[in-house]
């Protein structure tokens, strides 16, 4: 039995939207899908546009490997394809070594993440710097953030926090 997962594809650099490169992304997914199907029996559907600017791809994973199948590392072939096939076109959109970001969404229309990738990375960086400190102010701030995360996890049924 195959388990379906909907994955939103975004560029790591928020100055470009995935919708602007939908045809290239579709070609990259087509290329990556052959490898994933032959190795893992994972099926990747053609990326589709949802809403005004979201690109969602449905991935069907065999039930026996769904718990251990890491989406991001297995979809890196899409970004590799874009960087190799369209030499120079996407290099300017690399953030570190990352071109694309893959986020699992419950349903295609449920992902209303309005935070730019740069803002998300900046938040993670600031939190990491806060964790390096051990003064009372930092400890209080960390405690407040953890309380907020736990509350949000309960409201949105997010597991693992």
């Amino acid at each position: 039995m195959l388990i379906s997962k909907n994955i939103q594809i975004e560029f790591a650099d928020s100055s470009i939207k995935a919708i602007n490169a939908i045809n290239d992304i579709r070609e990259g997914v087509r290329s990556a899908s052959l490898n994933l199907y032959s190795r893992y029996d994972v099926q990747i559907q053609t990326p589709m546009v949802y809403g005004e600017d979201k690109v969602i791809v449905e991935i069907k994973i065999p039930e026996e490997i769904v718990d251990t199948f890491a989406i991001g590392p297995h979809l890196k072939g899409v970004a590799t394809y874009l960087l190799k096939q369209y030499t120079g076109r996407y290099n300017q959109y690399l953030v570190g070594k990352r071109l694309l970001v893959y986020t699992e969404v419950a349903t295609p229309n449920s992902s209303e993440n309005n935070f730019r990738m740069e803002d998300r990375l900046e938040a993670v960086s600031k939190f990491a710097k806060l964790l390096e400190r051990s003064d009372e102010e930092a400890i209080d701030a960390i405690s407040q953030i953890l309380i907020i995360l736990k509350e949000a996890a309960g409201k949105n049924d997010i597991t693992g926090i």
Side-chain angles (χ1 to χ4, degrees), residues 8 20 23 32 34 46 69 71 110-111 118 129 134 145 155 157:
Q8 182 175 335
N20 298 335
N23 290 328
L34 297 172
T46 301
F69 189 83
I71 303 286
S110 71
S111 178
E118 291 148 337
K129 288 178 183 173
S134 61
I145 292 168
K155 289 179 185 175
D157 194 28

Side-chain angles (χ1 to χ4, degrees), residues 15 27 93 96 122 127-128 133 139 154:
S15 68
E27 289 298 318
Y93 301 113
E122 182 180 354
F127 188 65
R133 295 175 36 197
I139 292 171

Side-chain angles (χ1 to χ4, degrees), residues 88-126:
R89 184 184 300 179
Y90 295 106
N91 290 349
Q92 65 191 11
Y93 301 113
L94 285 168
V95 175
K97 292 184 177 181
R98 175 167 266 176
L99 179 65
L100 298 174
V101 176
Y102 312 98
T103 308
E104 183 177 350
V105 292
T107 61
N109 294 329
S110 71
S111 178
E112 294 300 327
N113 194 341
N114 294 324
F115 287 114
R116 297 180 343 196
M117 181 54 61
E118 291 148 337
D119 293 338
R120 291 187 242 169
L121 294 173
E122 182 180 354
V124 170
S125 172
K126 286 181 178 179

Side-chain angles (χ1 to χ4, degrees), residues 3-152:
I3 307 297
S4 288
K5 292 185 178 257
N6 292 307
I7 308 299
Q8 182 175 335
I9 300 174
E10 303 174 88
F11 278 89
D13 182 343
S14 64
S15 68
I16 182 173
K17 298 262 187 199
I19 188 76
N20 298 335
I22 185 74
N23 290 328
D24 295 345
I25 290 172
R26 284 179 176 155
E27 289 298 318
V29 166
R30 192 170 302 130
S31 173
S33 69
L34 297 172
N35 182 32
L36 288 174
Y37 186 72
S38 66
R39 287 185 173 191
Y40 306 102
D41 290 328
V42 171
Q43 299 174 14
I44 303 177
Q45 306 303 310
T46 301
M48 303 301 291
V49 177
Y50 285 91
E52 292 180 27
D53 63 351
K54 297 197 182 329
V55 175
I56 305 290
V57 64
E58 182 183 7
I59 299 178
K60 295 180 180 184
I61 306 167
E63 187 175 24
E64 56 273 6
I65 65 168
V66 73
D67 292 333
T68 59
F69 189 83
I71 303 286
H74 285 100
L75 287 181
K76 70 181 178 184
V78 177
T80 302
Y81 179 89
L82 293 177
L83 291 170
K84 286 184 178 180
Q85 288 299 117
Y86 304 101
T87 307
R89 184 184 300 179
Y90 295 106
N91 290 349
Q92 65 191 11
Y93 301 113
L94 285 168
V95 175
K97 292 184 177 181
R98 175 167 266 176
L99 179 65
L100 298 174
V101 176
Y102 312 98
T103 308
E104 183 177 350
V105 292
T107 61
N109 294 329
S110 71
S111 178
E112 294 300 327
N113 194 341
N114 294 324
F115 287 114
R116 297 180 343 196
M117 181 54 61
E118 291 148 337
D119 293 338
R120 291 187 242 169
L121 294 173
E122 182 180 354
V124 170
S125 172
K126 286 181 178 179
F127 188 65
K129 288 178 183 173
L130 193 60
L131 287 170
E132 292 174 352
R133 295 175 36 197
S134 61
D135 57 280
E136 187 175 334
E137 182 181 335
I139 292 171
D140 288 343
I142 292 167
S143 296
Q144 290 175 352
I145 292 168
L146 291 175
I147 289 169
I148 292 168
L149 289 173
K150 287 178 183 175
E151 287 175 1

